[in-house]
Amino acid sequence: MTRPPEPKIDRSLTLHLRGDWGAANLHRVCGWISQELTDRCGPYTRVAIWNSRGYADAVRAVGRGEVDVALTTPAAFATAALDGRGLYTKEAFPELRALGVVPQRDRLVVGVRRTLGITSFAELREAKPALTLATSGHDRENHVGVGAHELLTRSGVDVTGWGGTILADERPWETFAHVLEGRADAVVHEAVMLPHWQEFGGDLHFLEVEQDVLDGLWADYSWPAATVEEGHFPGCPRFRTLDFSDFLVLTRSDLPADVAYAIAWVLGETREVIERQYRHLPPEKSPVTYPLDPVAMGRTPVPLHPGAAEYYHALPQGES
């Protein structure tokens, strides 16, 4: 079956990409793009990868033209930047375009110690316990902290107002340490495929987010809901919560079309390069949900750059 043609850019490029803190998955994706794109461009091509947090800061960096391409997660959180909602009320970025998504099936979940006897948000509101909650900081950049704040506030939860404490950290493994070492009796976080959750998940009740809260987050910010299937956490039933999926590869409309096509082609046609870095993990426990499907990678919450769209539209639909 005919595949979209391999790109060849004769001129040499200098590009700036923005990944994560330096040792996590977004930086890996940037390294993959850098290697495969450089192989197909002029001989003096240089690609720099800048450190980032991978959240709203990355969206703003590419929107302001500080970098050519940035990765952010979850993908849907960037949608509000197009028309200036939520985090972007003071600075909209209508020229944002997508080059694709790298699938990562994730959820933002709320768990409380089983010893508290709380199994729902209604019971949590009634009990008003003085929780020690581990999550990320609400600084209008960290998507975990922003998502946790919105979810809890709209659910009528006031941790500090009830006499509790919030332990705010930047990275998930810092938060998980608070739970594992007994410093926290509640947690709001993502990266649900990481093994830490299997270590302490059996000690938690995971709270289903109420439908009116999910509806409001979708209406106001375009944040979708998703399901955590029964048994994903030890002894846990199926429940609904906030979707936190996918790494979004962002650029602006002024990126040259041939470069946008080339990056999309790299994502879809050289996926083996990134997949083999995760195959020691089962797909459902992997930070990148393989096998990657190029057709699905072209379904983005932000409009595709026309150059990238050329690649995805050339794919045999339903074929990977």
Side-chain angles (χ1 to χ4, degrees):
M1 186 172 291
T2 302
R3 305 299 300 178
E6 181 174 355
K8 177 60 178 174
I9 299 175
D10 293 330
R11 69 190 185 280
S12 296
L13 306 176
T14 298
L15 293 175
H16 295 265
L17 277 58
R18 186 157 164 154
D20 55 46
W21 308 288
N25 301 292
L26 302 188
H27 244 56
R28 280 192 178 190
V29 173
C30 285
W32 163 39
I33 293 170
S34 172
Q35 172 180 294
E36 298 302 317
L37 181 65
T38 300
D39 285 349
R40 293 165 176 85
C41 295
Y44 307 110
T45 293
R46 300 177 301 166
V47 180
I49 302 174
W50 291 88
N51 291 68
S52 178
R53 300 169 73 187
Y55 299 127
D57 61 309
V59 177
R60 293 188 181 103
V62 72
R64 293 169 180 168
E66 297 169 6
V67 294
D68 302 290
V69 176
L71 273 76
T72 186
T73 187
F77 275 41
T79 308
L82 291 167
D83 54 1
R85 288 173 291 146
L87 299 177
Y88 306 99
T89 51
K90 296 182 180 180
E91 189 177 17
F93 299 105
E95 297 303 315
L96 285 176
R97 297 295 181 267
L99 299 172
V101 294
V102 178
Q104 187 222 27
R105 299 295 173 257
D106 204 355
R107 309 288 184 259
L108 188 75
V109 297
V110 181
V112 296
R113 295 280 185 193
R114 287 178 177 264
T115 53
L116 295 174
I118 292 168
T119 62
S120 69
F121 275 105
E123 293 175 358
L124 184 59
R125 288 191 296 269
E126 182 177 0
K128 295 181 174 58
L131 296 172
T132 300
L133 172 73
T135 186
S136 292
H138 175 47
D139 60 1
R140 296 188 62 79
E141 286 198 352
N142 186 308
H143 285 163
V144 177
V146 169
H149 174 82
E150 287 289 336
L151 194 158
L152 293 175
T153 299
R154 291 171 182 242
S155 298
V157 177
D158 184 0
V159 174
T160 56
W162 296 347
T165 303
I166 296 176
L167 304 176
D169 292 285
E170 175 69 8
R171 303 182 181 98
W173 43 90
E174 297 164 333
T175 296
F176 299 158
H178 292 310
V179 184
L180 283 166
E181 296 168 16
R183 292 187 293 273
D185 46 28
V187 60
V188 183
H189 225 286
E190 45 94 55
V192 298
M193 76 295 295
L194 293 183
H196 307 72
W197 290 101
Q198 301 306 312
E199 296 182 56
F200 58 69
D203 297 330
L204 304 175
H205 282 305
F206 290 91
L207 308 187
E208 179 161 75
V209 181
E210 293 155 330
Q211 190 60 51
D212 64 323
V213 173
L214 294 174
D215 290 344
L217 292 171
W218 172 254
D220 292 343
Y221 306 134
S222 303
W223 295 356
T227 299
V228 176
E229 295 298 337
E230 181 178 1
H232 180 86
F233 303 116
C236 181
R238 184 178 188 269
F239 66 98
R240 296 279 285 170
T241 189
L242 194 62
D243 194 4
F244 225 72
S245 293
D246 297 340
F247 306 145
L248 179 62
V249 186
L250 273 178
T251 189
R252 293 178 311 283
S253 60
D254 59 358
L255 186 75
D258 58 348
V259 178
Y261 175 90
I263 294 175
W265 187 95
V266 163
L267 294 174
E269 301 300 314
T270 72
R271 57 195 183 277
E272 164 69 19
V273 174
I274 197 73
E275 284 184 3
R276 64 174 174 248
Q277 299 182 43
Y278 294 92
R279 287 204 187 113
H280 61 289
L281 300 168
E284 70 277 7
K285 301 297 183 184
S286 171
V288 169
T289 308
Y290 68 88
L292 303 182
D293 175 4
V295 173
M297 295 167 81
R299 299 184 187 125
T300 58
V302 170
L304 282 168
H305 188 291
E310 180 183 349
Y311 165 74
Y312 294 111
H313 292 163
L315 288 168
Q317 295 300 300
E319 295 289 332
S320 60

